[in-house]
Amino acid sequence: MPETRSGLQEPEEFDAAEHSLGELVSEARGSMTRLVRLEVQLAKLELARDVQKIGMGAGLAVVAAVLAHMFLILVAITAGLGIMAAGLAPWLSFLIVTVVFLLISGLLLFLALRQFRKRQGFPLTGAAVASTLSALRRDNRTSNG
């Protein structure tokens, strides 16, 4: 069988007039098995893509949390003391620094959530399964009716 660009095999030409009913049933069973195998392979590919996007979002969230913590401890003290040296009250100096770092961590969290929302689910697998079920129902109605 020749292969397609994606590495999958192209369907074979099949002349039903030259084969018995048993051979036709066997060929249909083989085709269905191959179809199910390909749909499972498609689902695995789509799942891998979504896992990658979720991993990227989780990684960004962890980086945001670590940076927010480091900023709060290391830079906030320095900035608060710097503002205090400019003449503001200590409580006001440290409140300004706290609000700024809260805004930075909020922005990073927003970017992480945006990554989580980019996942797409299984659109190709869903379409392939729906198409297969539709074809099976249509064939079932034709053979029964």
Side-chain angles (χ1 to χ4, degrees):
M1 245 186 236
E3 291 191 2
T4 62
R5 283 185 295 146
S6 63
L8 302 176
Q9 295 178 343
E10 290 184 2
E12 297 176 3
E13 291 290 327
F14 191 77
D15 186 13
E18 296 178 6
H19 299 283
S20 70
L21 181 59
E23 290 172 327
L24 291 174
V25 168
S26 176
E27 178 64 25
R29 185 179 304 131
S31 295
M32 288 303 297
T33 301
R34 200 167 37 250
L35 179 62
V36 168
R37 193 176 317 120
L38 291 173
E39 287 178 352
V40 168
Q41 185 178 3
L42 178 60
K44 286 179 183 179
L45 290 172
E46 288 181 321
L47 180 61
R49 183 199 58 223
D50 278 354
V51 165
Q52 182 181 9
K53 289 194 185 306
I54 290 171
M56 177 68 85
L60 285 172
V62 167
V63 169
V66 168
L67 286 177
H69 185 71
M70 287 172 37
F71 282 146
L72 222 57
I73 293 172
L74 301 172
V75 178
I77 293 171
T78 305
L81 292 173
I83 293 171
M84 207 169 62
L88 287 177
W91 70 269
L92 186 56
S93 299
F94 283 97
L95 178 63
I96 291 169
V97 171
T98 301
V99 169
V100 167
F101 288 120
L102 183 63
L103 291 174
I104 291 171
S105 65
L107 173 67
L108 291 173
L109 183 60
F110 168 76
L111 292 173
L113 291 175
R114 207 168 86 187
Q115 277 296 316
F116 285 128
R117 290 191 183 119
K118 283 186 178 179
R119 66 175 177 72
Q120 298 175 355
F122 300 99
L124 299 176
T125 302
V129 169
S131 174
T132 301
L133 289 175
S134 174
L136 288 174
R137 287 185 186 126
R138 189 172 35 247
D139 286 345
N140 192 20
R141 281 188 221 128
T142 307
S143 64
N144 288 340

